[in-house]
Amino acid sequence: MSQSGTASAPGRTPAWRYAVGMFGTSIPINMIKGSMILFYVDILGLDVRAYGVVMVIYAVIDALDNPLLGHLSDRTRSRFGRRRPWLLVGAPMLAACMIAFFSAPTSLQGAGLVLWFAVFAILCEAFDSMLNANYGALLPELYPQERDRAVANGLRQGFQLVALVISLAVTPLLTTEVFGTEESTRGFQTTAIIYGAVALVVIVFMALGARERPRYSTRERPLLLPSVWSIVRNPMFWSVGLIGACYGTAMALVLAGIQLYVRYSLGLPVGNALYLQGIVILVSAGGLVLWTRPGTDPGLAFRVYLCAYPFVLTAIGAVAARLVSVPIETPPEAAEPPPPVPGDESAVERPR
């Protein structure tokens, strides 16, 4: 006889098998977000204004496609379930688009480079949204009991931390030192192929083991416009959405710029981002342990996650920044000559 909470009931998806899917969904998109500026703007020479325009479009599509993809998933009826078909389709598509994203020909310039960047950045975002909308929807369906759901969620956050270590901290080392150089794109392409293959295997493994409950598929299929209307008129959607947008924007800026910060502000090889981001992720791992202390109250856990942690860490960073002294050195060739001293004939240029 199995002990309660330690073994899965017959026909139930083991918590670890569902949770490992977070590892597969996190690696591709974090490599994209963390390396896109260095790859396209710094190495390939993409106009930073074009980059900004594309990212605005990227953000708008990201806001719109999540509810649409969720709606299509809710209406799906198949012998494989509602969520698994989308996962099995989205995984290879995301892997292929990520590889293409980091395989831009070095001969591309101007409008051609902008078009390549825009197409594959938006496609990567769309397939990432497809995966995460369906992956997230599986959690309450696979684990209707709060305790089982908390175990599965805790495990997937652990797998996400491992993915962050690899995709954010290790990636700069792989792309610029192990598989390539800081001036070439070869390392990015090789790393993208490896990450894409790993993500594909992990997501497919998770999806094939997910045992969806048939009773959820017997419900009436929701209509698009009534569903959208019920969402937009809910005040909680706007309040939570605004907080999430502010938090996500700040995180995206940090992730996108950290490698350039290491290269140009610190004057170090890009591979040294391994140590900077690794320390941040380790601190976050410790915070994850404390974050589980609010118990089963999701409202309190949400407020701690989005308010307490960022405030405390930002305050510590602000205090620490006051202790940093950055020397300002003027290169010898840029130094202005001293003004001539009156009566000093050696300082007067003589006619030749």
Side-chain angles (χ1 to χ4, degrees):
M1 182 178 296
S2 61
Q3 297 179 355
S4 176
T6 61
S8 299
R12 179 178 298 177
T13 304
W16 68 268
R17 185 158 187 178
Y18 167 77
V20 75
M22 195 74 168
F23 179 83
T25 60
S26 297
I27 281 185
I29 197 63
N30 282 306
M31 179 187 176
I32 293 169
K33 291 181 177 179
S35 301
M36 61 166 58
I37 288 186
L38 179 68
F39 182 80
Y40 275 94
V41 176
D42 200 52
I43 297 179
L44 294 182
L46 178 70
D47 190 313
V48 69
R49 294 168 295 183
Y51 172 87
V53 171
V54 172
M55 293 312 297
V56 169
I57 300 174
Y58 178 105
V60 172
I61 295 178
D62 185 34
L64 298 176
D65 63 4
N66 278 277
L68 177 59
L69 291 168
H71 172 79
L72 294 175
S73 176
D74 288 341
R75 292 180 58 84
T76 299
R77 300 292 183 271
S78 74
R79 64 189 183 92
F80 299 105
R82 294 189 297 172
R83 318 301 184 188
R84 291 201 299 172
W86 294 94
L87 292 169
L88 294 174
V89 171
M93 296 304 297
L94 176 59
C97 289
M98 180 182 67
I99 294 171
F101 182 82
F102 288 108
S103 300
T106 56
S107 60
L108 282 179
Q109 295 181 355
L113 182 60
V114 173
L115 182 62
W116 187 286
F117 170 66
V119 168
F120 287 107
I122 292 172
L123 285 177
C124 286
E125 185 283 323
F127 289 118
D128 175 69
S129 295
M130 177 188 295
L131 288 174
N132 282 285
N134 288 276
Y135 178 71
L138 277 176
L139 180 62
E141 294 185 12
L142 297 179
Y143 310 101
Q145 296 184 0
E146 185 66 31
R147 182 178 180 181
D148 295 336
R149 191 181 307 172
V151 171
N153 187 46
L155 287 174
R156 73 172 186 170
Q157 297 304 324
F159 279 114
Q160 184 181 37
L161 280 175
V162 176
L164 288 175
V165 171
I166 296 174
S167 58
L168 295 179
V170 179
T171 294
L173 183 66
L174 297 179
T175 56
T176 62
E177 295 186 19
V178 177
F179 299 127
T181 66
E182 295 199 10
E183 306 300 330
S184 68
T185 62
R186 183 179 66 256
F188 292 89
Q189 184 180 23
T190 303
T191 305
I193 292 173
I194 296 173
Y195 285 2
V198 171
L200 175 60
V201 171
V202 171
I203 295 171
V204 170
F205 173 76
M206 178 275 300
L208 293 179
R211 300 178 177 90
E212 294 188 51
R213 298 176 181 270
R215 66 187 183 90
Y216 288 107
S217 299
T218 60
R219 296 178 179 177
E220 182 180 356
R221 298 185 182 184
L223 299 176
L224 177 59
L225 292 181
S227 299
V228 173
W229 176 242
S230 66
I231 293 174
V232 298
R233 68 178 180 176
N234 186 343
M236 187 65 69
F237 167 76
W238 295 103
S239 59
V240 174
L242 177 62
I243 296 171
C246 295
Y247 180 79
T249 301
M251 287 299 300
L253 288 173
V254 173
L255 292 180
I258 193 69
Q259 295 184 36
L260 293 181
Y261 170 76
V262 171
R263 186 174 189 177
Y264 291 107
S265 295
L266 301 183
L268 299 173
V270 175
N272 283 271
L274 165 69
Y275 309 110
L276 181 60
Q277 299 197 96
I279 292 172
V280 172
I281 294 171
L282 290 177
V283 172
S284 301
L288 179 63
V289 176
L290 298 176
W291 181 52
T292 59
R293 295 296 182 182
T296 58
D297 185 351
L300 178 59
F302 178 79
R303 287 189 289 272
V304 171
Y305 176 69
L306 287 183
C307 300
Y309 284 171
F311 175 79
V312 172
L313 294 176
T314 302
I316 294 174
V319 173
R322 301 293 300 176
L323 305 177
V324 176
S325 177
V326 180
I328 302 178
E329 298 180 357
T330 303
E333 61 273 12
E336 296 182 358
V341 179
D344 185 1
E345 296 183 355
S346 61
V348 180
E349 184 178 0
R350 299 181 181 276
R352 297 180 180 177

